C-alpha cells in the first residue's frame, strides 16, 4: 500500500534589516515532521550569483512533494536575499556583501567553545546519548549568542539556526567554470562517496578545518573538534554530514542537468533513509566513483603574476602533470608581440578543477585551480582562496 506523500509547508522567515523601508525574508520549504530524524537541510545560492543550485532546488522541491519523508527535510531554495539584490551598474555582486560584511560564506558563528563548556561531565560511553547531548549544547550555545550585529550576520545566524542540528547538510554552490566537486571534512570521507558517485563529482577536497568558517564547517567541524576534546570521556561521532556541493560553473544551468542533480540528491537521501522510495526492495547500485578524495591543501592555485588576457591551454576536467602549461597571460600592449606572453604552468599534477570564467586577469587573480593528491605549501592564500 502506498503511503501518502509527506506534508509540504512553505514559511517566510523574516530577517532583521539595517535600513528602514526595506524588508527581507527567507522562504523555507519544510517536509516531513519537525524534530523527526533523519533531519536534512539543503540550501542554495548562499553566494547569491551562483545560479545552478537555484534550479536544482526547484527540481528537488518538486520531487520531494511526491515522496514520503520519515524524518524532516528543510529546503531553503534561495539562501541569500541580501545578495540577490546586489546589482551594481547592471552587474550582480553575489559573493561579497556590499555593506562590508565580507564573503557571505565565511564567518559563521563558532559554537565549539560554548558547547564544550556545556558538555563538561556530560559525555560518556553511549554514542547516541553523546550525539543528543552535543546537539543540545550546540543549540544552547547558539541561543546564548549576543544579537547579531547587522543584516548579514543575522542572515548567517538564521541559516545556521535551521541547519546546525541536521544529520545531513547540503550547501549548493558553484565555481566560475568547473567540474562538479565537493568540499567536506576529513572525517566525512568515505561517507560522502555515495553523493560523490551519484553526482559524478570529479574532485572531493577534504580538510579538518579550512579556517574560514564557511557554512558547512560551522555545522560539521564542532563534531570532530568536540570528539577530540572529550576523547577521554567517550565517543562523539561526526553526526552532521555537511558538505559544500559545487555544481560546476556559473553558466552551467539547464533543466536536464538540474533535474539530474536533484535526482542524485534524492538518491543519497533514499540510501540514508531520509526519503522512502516508491519501490521497496534493494537499493540500486551506485554509479562508479569518478575520483578519490584529495586534501584541500593539495589544491594548487594558478595565479596571474601579471595582468592580461587569459588564453587557456587546458579545459576543466583535464588531467595535468607538474609543469604543464595551463594558460598564457597575454599583454597586447607589449612593444614586442613575440615577448607578450607569460605562460602559467601547473605547480603539481592533478585535475583542472576550476577556471576563471572571465578571460582578462588582474595581477594576482586566480586563473585556475588544480586538485592534486598531495598537500602543498598553502602560501599566502590559506586553504580557502578568498
Ligand atoms: Zn559559492
Amino acid at each position: 500500500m502506498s503511503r501518502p506523500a509527506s506534508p509540504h509547508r512553505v514559511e517566510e522567515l523574516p530577517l532583521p534589516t539595517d535600513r528602514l523601508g526595506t524588508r527581507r525574508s527567507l522562504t523555507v520549504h519544510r517536509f516531513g515532521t519537525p524534530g523527526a530524524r533523519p533531519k536534512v537541510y539543503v540550501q542554495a545560492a548562499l553566494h547569491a550569483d551562483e545560479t545552478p543550485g537555484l534550479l536544482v532546488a526547484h527540481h528537488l522541491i518538486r520531487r520531494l512533494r511526491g515522496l514520503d519523508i520519515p524524518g524532516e527535510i528543510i529546503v531553503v531554495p534561495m539562501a541569500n536575499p541580501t545578495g540577490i539584490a546586489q546589482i551594481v551598474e547592471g552587474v550582480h555582486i553575489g559573493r561579497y556583501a556590499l555593506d562590508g560584511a565580507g564573503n557571505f560564506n565565511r564567518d559563521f558563528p563558532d559554537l565549539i567553545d560554548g558547547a564544550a563548556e556545556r558538555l563538561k561531565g556530560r559525555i560518556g560511553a553511549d554514542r547516541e546519548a553523546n550525539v543528543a547531548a552535543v546537539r543540545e549544547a550546540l543549540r544552547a550555545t547558539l541561543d546564548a549568542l549576543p544579537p547579531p550585529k547587522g543584516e548579514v550576520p543575522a542572515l548567517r545566524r538564521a541559516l545556521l539556526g535551521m541547519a546546525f542540528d541536521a544529520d545531513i547538510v547540503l550547501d549548493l554552490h558553484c565555481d566560475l567554470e568547473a567540474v562538479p566537486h565537493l568540499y567536506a571534512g576529513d572525517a566525512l570521507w568515505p561517507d560522502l562517496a555515495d553523493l560523490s558517485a551519484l553526482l559524478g563529482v570529479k574532485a572531493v577536497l577534504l580538510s579538518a578545518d579550512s579556517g574560514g568558517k564557511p557554512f558547512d564547517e560551522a555545522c560539521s567541524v564542532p563534531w570532530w573538534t568536540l570528539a577530540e576534546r572529550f576523547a577521554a570521556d567517550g565517543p562523539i561521532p561526526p553526526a552532521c554530514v555537511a558538505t559544500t556541493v559545487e555544481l560546476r560553473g556559473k553558466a552551467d544551468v539547464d533543466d536536464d542537468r538540474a533535474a539530474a542533480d536533484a535526482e542524485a540528491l534524492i538518491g543519497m537521501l533514499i540510501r540514508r533513509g531520509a526519503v522512502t522510495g516508491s519501490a521497496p526492495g534493494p537499493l540500486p547500485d551506485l554509479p562508479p566513483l569518478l575520483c578519490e578524495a584529495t586534501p584541500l591543501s593539495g589544491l594548487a592555485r594558478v595565479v596571474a603574476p601579471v595582468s592580461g588576457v587569459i588564453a587557456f591551454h587546458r579545459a576543466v576536467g583535464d588531467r595535468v602533470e607538474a609543469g604543464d602549461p595551463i594558460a598564457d597571460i597575454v599583454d597586447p600592449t607589449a612593444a614586442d608581440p613575440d615577448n607578450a606572453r607569460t605562460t602559467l604552468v601547473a605547480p603539481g599534477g592533478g585535475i583542472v578543477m576550476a577556471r576563471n570564467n572571465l578571460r582578462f586577469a588582474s595581477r594576482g587573480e586566480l586563473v585556475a585551480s588544480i586538485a592534486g593528491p598531495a598537500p602543498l605549501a598553502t602560501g599566502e592564500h590559506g586553504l580557502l582562496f578568498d
Side-chain angles (χ1 to χ4, degrees), residues 47 50 95 173-174:
H47 285 141
E50 297 178 1
R95 186 174 180 83
H173 286 248
C174 72

Side-chain angles (χ1 to χ4, degrees), residues 19-371:
R19 305 286 287 179
L20 66 81
T22 67
R23 189 172 295 172
R24 302 190 201 284
S25 61
L26 287 166
T27 303
V28 182
H29 289 249
R30 295 180 177 275
F31 300 87
T33 309
R37 297 275 164 190
K39 175 178 174 180
V40 178
Y41 177 85
V42 184
Q43 72 179 21
L46 174 56
H47 285 141
D49 56 345
E50 297 178 1
T51 310
L54 296 171
L55 195 59
V56 171
H58 161 73
H59 284 280
L60 182 66
I61 288 166
R62 283 188 71 223
R63 285 283 282 123
L64 288 174
R65 289 208 311 175
L67 295 169
D68 185 44
I69 290 144
E72 178 182 17
I73 299 181
I74 299 173
V75 182
V76 179
M78 203 286 286
N80 188 348
T82 304
I84 205 88
Q86 291 188 160
I87 303 294
V88 180
E89 302 282 3
V91 177
H92 189 184
I93 310 293
R95 186 174 180 83
Y96 303 96
L98 292 179
D99 70 355
N103 185 323
F104 285 108
N105 192 23
R106 300 287 184 275
D107 299 319
F108 276 82
D110 185 334
L111 307 177
I112 294 168
D113 287 341
E117 192 60 36
R118 289 169 169 84
L119 286 167
K120 279 181 186 159
R122 295 197 55 204
I123 297 298
D126 183 338
R127 259 169 82 98
E128 290 313 306
N130 292 343
V131 168
V134 169
R135 286 189 183 131
E136 201 179 299
L138 292 170
R139 175 177 296 286
T141 304
L142 194 60
D143 289 346
L145 290 176
K149 292 188 180 133
E151 185 173 316
V152 176
L155 172 67
R156 293 186 183 118
R157 184 84 62 88
L159 297 172
L160 184 60
M162 289 186 279
F164 77 95
D165 61 348
D167 298 272
I168 298 170
V169 172
L170 304 176
D171 190 13
L172 307 183
H173 286 248
C174 72
D175 211 303
L176 300 176
E177 285 180 1
V179 293
H181 57 281
L182 304 182
Y183 294 92
D186 296 307
L188 301 179
W189 191 260
D191 194 14
L192 279 166
D194 57 352
L195 180 64
S196 304
L198 287 159
L199 272 175
V201 305
K202 302 272 184 64
V204 178
L205 304 160
L206 302 180
S207 67
D209 183 349
S210 69
K213 302 193 192 310
F215 179 75
D216 70 316
E217 293 185 2
C219 299
S220 62
V221 169
W223 290 92
W224 43 89
T225 308
L226 293 168
E228 271 174 29
R229 293 199 193 174
F230 290 92
D233 300 322
I236 299 176
C240 178
V241 179
T243 177
T244 298
V245 181
E246 300 280 350
L247 296 166
R248 306 173 196 82
K250 284 191 173 184
D252 294 323
V253 181
D254 63 65
D255 268 318
D256 288 349
R257 207 162 5 198
D261 287 344
E263 212 50 52
L265 304 187
I266 297 272
M268 178 207 194
L269 300 184
I270 289 174
R271 301 187 82 84
R272 289 162 182 264
V275 167
T276 308
S278 51
L283 291 169
D285 288 341
L286 283 172
L289 195 57
L290 302 183
C291 67
E292 273 305 317
T294 54
L296 178 55
S297 57
L299 187 64
R301 317 289 189 164
V302 180
V303 171
V306 293
S307 177
V309 178
I310 305 172
F312 277 112
H313 294 297
R314 308 304 292 259
V316 294
D318 283 358
R319 297 219 148 263
V320 294
E321 301 296 331
D324 283 355
I326 301 298
D328 285 354
I329 305 297
V330 183
D331 175 3
T333 69
D336 175 5
D338 291 333
N339 210 2
R341 289 174 182 261
T342 304
T343 300
L344 310 184
V345 301
I351 183 170
V352 179
M353 187 189 84
R355 306 196 312 191
N356 203 319
N357 59 338
L358 302 179
R359 295 296 181 260
F360 189 88
S362 304
R363 183 168 59 85
E365 189 167 344
L366 184 61
V367 173
S369 302
I370 299 166

